[in-house]
Amino acid sequence: MLLISCLVYALVAALAAAASNGHRSQSHLGRRLLPQPKQKNGASFAFPTKDPFYRVPADVGKYPLGAILGTRQGNADAFGQFAAEAHQILYLTTDYTGAPDATVATIVIPIAPRPGKPKALAIGSAVGSASIDCSPSFAYANPDKSKNLPLVNIVDSPASTAALFRGWYVVIPDALGSKSSFLNGLTEGRAMLDGIRASRNFAAPLKNADFAMMGYSGGGHTVGWAAQEAASYYPDSPIIGMVTGGMPADTNNTFYTLNGGEYSALGFQGAAAMGHARPDVQAVFDQHITHAGRANFTKMLSGEWCLIQSSRNLSGVPVQTAFTGGDIFQNPVVAKHMEEEKLGKRVNRISSIYYHARNDQIVPWPQMVHYINQQCEQEGARLQLSWATATGHILSGLRFMPAMLNSLVQVLEQGYKVKTCGIDAQSIPPVPEGGPGLTDLIGHGAANSIAYWRAQAKNGLFPL
Amino acid sequence: MLLISCLVYALVAALAAAASNGHRSQSHLGRRLLPQPKQKNGASFAFPTKDPFYRVPADVGKYPLGAILGTRQGNADAFGQFAAEAHQILYLTTDYTGAPDATVATIVIPIAPRPGKPKALAIGSAVGSASIDCSPSFAYANPDKSKNLPLVNIVDSPASTAALFRGWYVVIPDALGSKSSFLNGLTEGRAMLDGIRASRNFAAPLKNADFAMMGYSGGGHTVGWAAQEAASYYPDSPIIGMVTGGMPADTNNTFYTLNGGEYSALGFQGAAAMGHARPDVQAVFDQHITHAGRANFTKMLSGEWCLIQSSRNLSGVPVQTAFTGGDIFQNPVVAKHMEEEKLGKRVNRISSIYYHARNDQIVPWPQMVHYINQQCEQEGARLQLSWATATGHILSGLRFMPAMLNSLVQVLEQGYKVKTCGIDAQSIPPVPEGGPGLTDLIGHGAANSIAYWRAQAKNGLFPL
């Protein structure tokens, strides 16, 4: 109830702020003075695990990547004043094995698309959960029912609000696929890329649009893998840049960092998802899992526990306590898959900016430095690591958000490309310098959203 | 004789070209229309090993760093049309042990200093030789007598000519010190920094000047070490940036790469210099050196063989052939000092651009990448590695020269600072893009000098 109250307050506050400032911002940018009427919908959707719309069709194997398998109207209200329409599409992708899969994306149309070549932002959401009931599509369609709304919203909301303010289209895939394969890089990256493909099949203006990708934390993981895989999986992609932050480049290192600590639930959710997606891992788990462990995994896989609920129960608990015997993550079958979840097997050829806190307590800085160095040694890599010394993984995301959004404006509207592959010499300033003020850049709605979620995070909404 | 003929031709050609274009260039930049009359001098100087001006005074220990111990007029003609005066100064520095030393710098005054805050370029010369008779000061003062003029000139000449064209002061230390300690990084770096100190004691306008450093190959080694040591050895230095190229960051790796090949003489000269500067190494050498080896080392230490002469005799000969027993560079005493000659023990805090050919056959690309990564991982590092795939170590230097000079203009006149520490995503273009044409940028003299030395290098002036 507290969460829902907070959310309602946030939406009301953000909308009120946007409304009171909308005229100035809009006229300043030469846009239409009044928002369009919006369709409201979605409140009646069932949880995705029960909703036939999410079901992977039996004949899924016969469709091409990005094929649209279903559409319905979404809930534009979740995206604030500058959203004209929201849609959900079910589309074809492939999982890490190459097997066909179907997942949902939310597509949002701005009330006043930016003139000229259309621009689109594809967002990798922070999901951190092993059930599609925790998916971003459901959080937006049914904010009053989703158990994962704050986690999804804390990053997505500033980003989507700012994007729509600037007249960009927004595409938010449920990039974990039909099994909510949290921290399965290939599945996530492919679902993100196919979400972009599908959005271009769905909305005519997106056929000619420039796309940027963004995401923080788990969402950063999604777009980081999408960027790595794009050259081979989607060679003619319209992606002109990526902006990410708090990205785990090395799942194994991240797992052992957070395991048994305040954020141990991320490890539980990742383990549950890994077993669900990988039969050989599940077979190992089945041999060793305790009764209590199985009960917890079931709560996560069923959607009873999204990340926040599992955190309340599993903070401080090592994931290995769910299993008998030694460290199950050292079992060769499990360890092999953990090792596969390391970014860097291909060169990321998309101009990419990575924001990372030097003292990130969930995703250690050295793994990011290692990844950047490993990439930059290879021709064609365009990776820029921007940083600050900031408190906390989630708070860092909000600390970085103005700079991340500014980077997206530079990428989509000003042709910015990373020229030198490496690490920024200086910490980024809290507010982008040398351009327009923050609210002119991203709108009052996004600025308020950042401030609101920062206050929530500081007040302990998340342990993260 | 061939070399001297080439040089005379080069000077005549460069001066003629500069003269024929000087009026346009000067008026274009709003400078004085006619060059000042120049003092001619220097032709009567003895070889440095015989010249009392170069002698380290007996009371050298009582002077502060950069103190001026002697001055005399130099040969401004060696620096072309835009040089008003040249001076030689003997100044105080310290060697790698911290012991006081004295060495010479050449200081050149432009005919029309750039208006506003004075700008100065400190050049690390490529010397590659174990005798002060091969020093840059002597090459400029007595171009007809120096045996090392082409090596010194191939990099210095475009740089100094361009600098003077732009109205910058030029400072060229004999940065190898009184023992010509080729590839002794600390000695070189300190002599470069003290050369800058001394120049500010010598010429009033330099007291308030911004300095940039540049150097290629051995000269890159000098300024690379100077940049590393500046924060501790010269904390209030006026150096605002460095541009270098073909820099050996790892002497050991470079030695084993070139040893026994076409460029093996560099290894001989380095070994001779190391023994000369390090008594413990010389003691090991003395136990193992052959008669022929000692004779060759003596030719190098006496100045009979500068790099070019030794290359004619020692190409293809492994340095170990000068010694009996196993690989003398694996002797613990020698190996320890080779290991000390690795850049990276401190953070280079000066904004620095490194140009390097990916296929450099003398200084392998991976050692440069390793150095950049190792530095960029540390806060405060501002290193940018710019690159191309170019043929040959020396030809690459000429290939990079327009870009290097353009970078120097950006550093000294436009406030350029490296923002992202790392490796350029793309190869640099042969001619800087987006600015004025090359001759407007660096003058006809420097452009002709690059073209001339490129032709010489292609025609086999150097094996390098």
Side-chain angles (χ1 to χ4, degrees):
Chain A
M1 270 311 293
L2 174 65
L3 292 180
I4 294 171
S5 307
C6 289
L7 172 81
V8 170
Y9 169 78
L11 288 178
V12 169
L15 287 171
S20 69
N21 295 291
H23 288 284
R24 199 189 65 75
S25 298
Q26 286 178 312
S27 58
H28 175 72
L29 292 175
R31 292 186 178 150
R32 271 179 275 168
L33 282 179
L34 293 175
Q36 302 293 293
K38 276 174 246 170
Q39 312 98 325
K40 301 205 176 199
N41 204 331
S44 63
F45 292 161
F47 276 98
T49 48
K50 309 278 189 294
D51 183 346
F53 184 74
Y54 284 79
R55 207 152 296 153
V56 180
D59 62 351
V60 67
K62 73 180 191 194
Y63 299 100
L65 299 175
I68 294 174
L69 310 176
T71 69
R72 63 182 177 184
Q73 197 175 298
N75 174 23
D77 273 354
F79 297 95
Q81 183 190 22
F82 295 98
E85 306 164 29
H87 303 271
Q88 289 188 345
I89 60 172
L90 181 75
Y91 64 93
L92 191 118
T93 184
T94 56
D95 72 7
Y96 72 100
T97 68
D101 190 24
T103 192
V104 170
T106 304
I107 297 174
V108 194
I109 313 296
I111 56 165
R114 182 181 159 79
K117 194 172 189 197
K119 307 293 180 184
L121 179 64
I123 300 178
S125 304
V127 179
S129 308
S131 166
I132 57 172
D133 285 356
C134 313
S135 65
S137 65
F138 187 68
Y140 291 121
N142 291 58
D144 53 344
K145 283 205 254 174
S146 167
K147 295 177 177 171
N148 213 25
L149 185 69
L151 181 64
V152 168
N153 244 335
I154 199 164
V155 174
D156 287 17
S157 168
S160 62
T161 308
L164 294 162
F165 169 80
R166 297 207 70 87
W168 306 341
Y169 296 80
V170 172
V171 179
I172 311 178
D174 290 352
L176 277 47
S178 66
K179 292 178 177 163
S180 201
S181 295
F182 173 49
L183 292 180
N184 186 312
L186 271 179
T187 294
E188 291 177 40
R190 290 170 176 176
M192 167 56 66
L193 294 171
D194 289 321
I196 291 172
R197 256 193 260 256
S199 74
R200 299 172 77 205
N201 292 331
F202 175 77
L206 294 181
K207 281 203 173 52
N208 305 310
D210 289 327
F211 278 76
M213 299 191 293
M214 81 89 72
Y216 188 82
S217 189
H221 186 261
T222 294
V223 295
W225 277 84
Q228 172 175 290
E229 297 303 312
S232 55
Y233 190 78
Y234 194 0
D236 58 342
S237 96
I239 303 165
I240 61 171
M242 188 202 27
V243 177
T244 178
M247 182 193 80
D250 180 340
T251 301
N252 204 45
N253 174 252
T254 305
F255 169 72
Y256 278 103
T257 300
L258 60 81
N259 184 43
E262 199 171 0
Y263 321 101
S264 204
L266 284 164
F268 277 95
Q269 294 277 3
M274 181 161 61
H276 191 42
R278 299 182 187 269
D280 54 347
V281 170
Q282 191 59 48
V284 174
F285 284 1
D286 285 343
Q287 287 170 23
H288 296 279
I289 198 159
T290 65
H291 284 291
R294 190 179 298 278
N296 286 339
F297 275 41
T298 300
K299 284 177 186 156
M300 294 183 276
L301 292 166
S302 69
E304 187 178 338
W305 282 356
C306 293
L307 179 64
I308 295 170
Q309 295 76 36
S310 57
S311 272
R312 293 208 185 104
N313 289 278
L314 298 169
S315 275
V317 182
V319 183
Q320 289 90 340
T321 59
F323 301 95
T324 58
D327 180 356
I328 197 149
F329 298 96
Q330 298 300 321
N331 174 289
V333 172
V334 183
K336 170 172 167 285
H337 288 305
M338 296 281 278
E339 182 61 27
E340 284 170 12
E341 294 299 336
K342 194 180 274 186
L343 265 176
K345 293 186 181 63
R346 302 174 191 268
V347 180
N348 171 11
R349 299 185 177 278
I350 291 173
S351 176
S352 298
I353 309 173
Y354 301 78
Y355 287 86
H356 209 99
R358 278 185 179 258
N359 49 342
D360 189 310
Q361 85 283 32
I362 296 184
V363 185
W365 169 256
Q367 72 172 254
M368 196 63 217
V369 170
H370 178 82
Y371 175 63
I372 292 287
N373 285 350
Q374 182 263 354
Q375 288 285 297
C376 291
E377 290 177 16
Q378 299 174 77
E379 266 190 79
R382 295 178 164 274
L383 289 73
Q384 177 180 351
L385 177 52
S386 295
W387 56 271
T389 303
T391 304
H393 179 74
I394 288 282
L395 275 172
S396 295
L398 295 164
R399 156 79 170 78
F400 288 137
M401 191 59 66
M404 293 175 76
L405 298 177
N406 186 46
S407 292
L408 286 168
V409 172
Q410 292 177 331
V411 167
L412 279 176
E413 300 185 9
Q414 297 161 19
Y416 179 82
K417 296 278 181 201
V418 172
K419 288 202 175 61
T420 299
C421 190
I423 305 172
D424 279 358
Q426 290 192 311
S427 157
I428 59 149
V431 175
E433 289 166 349
L438 185 63
T439 50
D440 281 347
L441 187 72
I442 65 175
H444 283 275
N448 284 336
S449 176
I450 295 170
Y452 169 78
W453 288 111
R454 184 176 289 175
Q456 290 299 308
K458 281 189 175 167
N459 289 337
L461 173 66
F462 298 97
L464 309 174
Chain B
M1 271 310 294
L2 174 64
L3 292 181
I4 294 170
S5 308
C6 290
L7 171 81
V8 170
Y9 169 78
L11 288 178
V12 169
L15 288 171
S20 70
N21 294 291
H23 288 285
R24 198 189 66 75
S25 298
Q26 286 178 311
S27 58
H28 175 72
L29 293 175
R31 292 186 179 150
R32 270 180 276 167
L33 282 179
L34 292 176
Q36 302 294 293
K38 275 174 247 170
Q39 312 98 325
K40 301 205 176 199
N41 203 331
S44 63
F45 292 161
F47 275 98
T49 47
K50 309 279 189 293
D51 183 346
F53 184 75
Y54 284 79
R55 207 151 296 153
V56 180
D59 62 350
V60 68
K62 73 179 191 194
Y63 299 100
L65 299 175
I68 295 175
L69 309 177
T71 70
R72 63 183 177 184
Q73 197 175 298
N75 174 23
D77 273 354
F79 297 95
Q81 183 190 22
F82 295 98
E85 306 164 29
H87 303 272
Q88 289 188 345
I89 60 172
L90 181 75
Y91 65 94
L92 191 119
T93 184
T94 56
D95 72 6
Y96 72 100
T97 68
D101 190 24
T103 192
V104 170
T106 304
I107 298 175
V108 194
I109 313 295
I111 56 166
R114 181 181 161 79
K117 194 173 190 197
K119 307 294 179 183
L121 179 64
I123 300 178
S125 304
V127 179
S129 308
S131 166
I132 57 172
D133 285 356
C134 313
S135 65
S137 64
F138 187 68
Y140 291 121
N142 291 58
D144 53 344
K145 283 205 252 173
S146 168
K147 294 177 176 170
N148 213 25
L149 185 69
L151 181 63
V152 169
N153 244 334
I154 200 165
V155 175
D156 287 16
S157 168
S160 62
T161 308
L164 294 162
F165 168 80
R166 296 207 72 85
W168 306 341
Y169 296 80
V170 173
V171 178
I172 311 179
D174 291 353
L176 278 47
S178 66
K179 292 178 177 164
S180 201
S181 295
F182 173 49
L183 293 180
N184 186 312
L186 271 179
T187 294
E188 291 177 40
R190 290 170 176 176
M192 167 56 66
L193 294 171
D194 289 321
I196 291 172
R197 255 194 260 255
S199 75
R200 300 172 77 205
N201 292 330
F202 175 77
L206 294 181
K207 280 203 174 52
N208 305 310
D210 290 327
F211 278 76
M213 299 191 293
M214 80 88 72
Y216 188 82
S217 189
H221 186 261
T222 294
V223 295
W225 277 84
Q228 172 175 289
E229 297 303 313
S232 55
Y233 190 78
Y234 194 179
D236 58 342
S237 96
I239 303 165
I240 61 171
M242 185 194 43
V243 177
T244 178
M247 181 193 79
D250 180 340
T251 301
N252 204 46
N253 174 252
T254 305
F255 169 72
Y256 279 103
T257 300
L258 59 81
N259 184 43
E262 199 171 359
Y263 321 101
S264 204
L266 284 164
F268 277 95
Q269 294 276 3
M274 181 161 60
H276 191 41
R278 298 183 187 267
D280 54 346
V281 170
Q282 190 59 47
V284 174
F285 284 1
D286 285 343
Q287 288 170 21
H288 296 280
I289 198 159
T290 65
H291 284 291
R294 190 179 298 277
N296 286 340
F297 275 42
T298 300
K299 284 177 187 156
M300 293 183 276
L301 292 166
S302 69
E304 186 178 339
W305 282 357
C306 294
L307 179 63
I308 295 170
Q309 295 76 36
S310 58
S311 272
R312 293 207 186 104
N313 289 279
L314 298 170
S315 275
V317 182
V319 183
Q320 289 90 340
T321 59
F323 301 94
T324 58
D327 180 356
I328 197 147
F329 298 96
Q330 298 300 321
N331 174 289
V333 172
V334 183
K336 171 173 166 285
H337 288 304
M338 297 281 278
E339 183 60 28
E340 285 170 12
E341 294 300 335
K342 195 180 273 185
L343 265 176
K345 292 185 181 64
R346 301 174 191 268
V347 180
N348 171 11
R349 298 185 178 277
I350 291 174
S351 175
S352 298
I353 310 172
Y354 301 78
Y355 287 86
H356 210 100
R358 278 186 179 258
N359 48 343
D360 189 310
Q361 85 283 31
I362 296 184
V363 185
W365 168 257
Q367 71 171 253
M368 195 63 218
V369 170
H370 178 82
Y371 175 63
I372 293 288
N373 285 349
Q374 182 263 353
Q375 288 285 298
C376 291
E377 290 177 17
Q378 299 173 78
E379 265 190 79
R382 295 177 163 274
L383 289 72
Q384 177 180 351
L385 176 52
S386 295
W387 56 272
T389 303
T391 304
H393 179 74
I394 288 282
L395 274 172
S396 295
L398 295 165
R399 156 79 169 79
F400 288 137
M401 191 58 67
M404 293 175 76
L405 298 177
N406 186 47
S407 292
L408 286 168
V409 172
Q410 292 176 331
V411 167
L412 279 176
E413 300 185 9
Q414 297 161 18
Y416 180 82
K417 296 277 181 202
V418 172
K419 288 202 175 62
T420 299
C421 190
I423 305 172
D424 279 359
Q426 290 192 312
S427 158
I428 59 148
V431 175
E433 289 166 349
L438 185 63
T439 50
D440 282 347
L441 187 72
I442 65 174
H444 283 275
N448 284 337
S449 176
I450 295 170
Y452 170 77
W453 288 111
R454 184 177 288 175
Q456 290 298 307
K458 281 190 174 164
N459 289 338
L461 173 67
F462 298 97
L464 309 174

